[in-house]
Amino acid sequence: MELTPDFSISINGSSNFPKERVILIRTTDETGIVSDSCEIELDDFDAALQFPNTEAKVVVSLGYKETGLTKIGTYFVREISIDGARHVVRLQCNAASKAMRSQKTKTNEGTIEDKIQEMGTEFDFDPEISDDLKGVDLTDHLQFAESDMNYMTRMSQKVGAVAKPVNGHLVVANEGLGKSVSGQSLPIKYLDASEVATYSCNFKETESGGFGGTVYANWYEKETGEYHLEKVGNGDPETELQEIFATKEQAISAAQAKFKRTAKSNKTFRFSIAGRTDFFAESPLILRGFNPKIPTRWIMNRVEHSLSANEFTTSVDCCNGGEK
């Protein structure tokens, strides 16, 4: 059955949106340091289009007329631009509001759980955090001329986690494990070679034959005034973290997180397919019917949906899903 692309857009709760003017909708769902984003191109041939305000709340749903729509995300208008030659207005939207991106200088005491509870109250987000991350101590980690969102992202990275706003929730969860915040395994997605328009797989092996190399992290022991060096992994390339950590545990945790990010980035799989709204970042993926040299298990770490009048496609970047 041939499917007809469809969508809906609401702005500040109103669904009275000029669908006939939409040229393109592109949404991006990512793990890591970049929060989810959305770009909407609109036809302004008669210069009569009414612009939303920056920071307007935008909810986007995508899908097909024959099978229905799926909510993709909630965003805030960050920038509006006009392409005079094409008579096009472009809305650039981001899942993090302007307030969440405002810079602050402060000392944060307590844990990551305390911090996201504070942010949830301030920015009207529901905080969600994995149980094993709740006790991560933020003492001795200064927030200097840095937004709350960037600070939380930086702190999460130190323990191999990701912090991001998702559909009205502020989520802090382990990265690249294919698990929900509650620790439950996410539903596995399956992909047959016959479904894929294009794909590529890349391997970037280190000189020593592995995928992570060696990561060193320094920490300072206040009681003795001595510096210590911790090591994770083996072989080349060798990387030394620039930050000096307050405890041995912090140093090892940060080195392990860096090692895992390096390992997973050295084995990647990319593909494009007809629009699939059930694909999202952190979903585990199993390949079927591909070149046998390509591993079968992956984790989606970037999902881009692109919908125009005649086409709906999904492009996915995957990282190592644990298979050797």
Side-chain angles (χ1 to χ4, degrees):
M1 177 178 66
E2 186 172 344
L3 300 177
T4 308
D6 194 16
F7 67 92
S8 72
I9 297 174
S10 73
I11 296 185
N12 289 334
S14 172
S15 57
N16 186 25
F17 191 83
K19 291 183 68 172
E20 69 279 0
R21 289 184 179 266
V22 173
I23 300 171
L24 175 70
I25 302 172
R26 182 182 294 114
T27 67
T28 303
D29 174 22
E30 299 189 59
T31 60
I33 64 172
V34 183
S35 63
D36 300 347
S37 62
C38 174
E39 178 182 329
I40 303 173
E41 287 191 357
L42 303 167
D43 188 350
D44 193 27
F45 66 95
D46 55 359
L49 184 65
Q50 297 296 311
F51 296 174
N53 295 326
T54 54
E55 287 304 300
K57 187 176 182 179
V58 178
V59 178
V60 175
S61 298
L62 303 177
Y64 299 95
K65 290 182 178 179
E66 294 80 5
T67 57
L69 303 179
T70 300
K71 181 180 177 182
I72 300 299
T74 301
Y75 313 93
F76 298 89
V77 178
R78 186 172 184 176
E79 181 179 331
I80 300 172
S81 59
I82 300 174
D83 184 335
R86 296 174 57 215
H87 305 289
V88 167
V89 172
R90 183 177 294 107
L91 308 181
Q92 300 281 1
C93 311
N94 193 277
S97 66
K98 184 178 181 180
M100 293 181 73
R101 303 192 301 268
S102 297
Q103 294 186 345
K104 301 176 181 178
T105 296
K106 60 185 297 188
T107 299
N108 291 292
E109 298 181 353
T111 65
I112 281 186
E113 183 179 22
D114 296 329
K115 180 64 177 178
I116 70 162
Q117 293 285 356
E118 172 193 314
M119 292 173 64
T121 300
E122 182 177 356
F123 306 123
D124 194 26
F125 276 79
D126 293 326
E128 295 186 15
I129 182 169
S130 298
D131 287 341
D132 60 334
L133 298 173
K134 291 181 178 180
V136 175
D137 189 11
L138 298 182
T139 306
D140 297 324
H141 292 290
L142 178 66
Q143 182 177 349
F144 181 75
E146 185 177 23
S147 70
D148 278 334
M149 196 65 245
N150 193 75
Y151 176 79
M152 277 304 304
T153 297
R154 184 165 61 86
M155 292 301 101
S156 298
Q157 277 192 304
K158 294 180 186 297
V159 291
V162 58
K164 60 185 292 188
V166 181
N167 276 331
H169 299 268
L170 179 58
V171 175
V172 180
N174 291 295
E175 183 180 1
L177 298 183
K179 295 182 181 295
S180 67
V181 175
S182 65
Q184 299 298 311
S185 295
L186 294 171
I188 295 173
K189 306 299 179 182
Y190 295 89
L191 184 69
D192 292 322
S194 60
E195 301 177 78
V196 177
T198 60
Y199 73 89
S200 65
C201 185
N202 296 287
F203 303 90
K204 194 170 101 176
E205 198 169 11
T206 64
E207 295 175 11
S208 59
F211 287 93
T214 307
V215 181
Y216 297 97
N218 291 278
W219 64 281
Y220 177 70
E221 188 175 5
K222 291 182 179 179
E223 290 77 7
T224 63
E226 295 180 343
Y227 289 91
H228 304 275
L229 186 66
E230 304 299 333
K231 170 186 172 183
V232 173
N234 189 40
D236 296 321
E238 294 187 345
T239 303
E240 185 168 338
L241 302 182
Q242 294 184 351
E243 183 174 353
I244 306 297
F245 296 91
T247 66
K248 178 179 181 178
E249 291 72 21
Q250 289 180 2
I252 292 176
S253 180
Q256 288 175 336
K258 174 65 175 177
F259 178 84
K260 290 177 181 177
R261 285 195 300 272
T262 301
K264 77 172 189 176
S265 67
N266 284 338
K267 187 188 294 185
T268 59
F269 179 70
R270 298 179 174 87
F271 67 92
S272 294
I273 191 175
R276 288 280 298 269
T277 56
D278 61 323
F279 282 5
F280 52 89
E282 286 295 318
S283 292
L285 178 71
I286 293 181
L287 305 184
R288 297 187 293 203
F290 286 81
N291 187 314
K293 296 183 178 65
I294 297 176
T296 57
R297 294 182 177 273
W298 300 87
I299 297 291
M300 301 185 201
N301 62 353
R302 184 179 189 275
V303 178
E304 180 182 287
H305 299 299
S306 181
L307 186 146
S308 62
N310 302 313
E311 188 176 30
F312 178 24
T313 60
T314 299
S315 299
V316 182
D317 291 1
C318 302
C319 64
N320 182 10
E323 188 170 334
K324 300 297 184 181

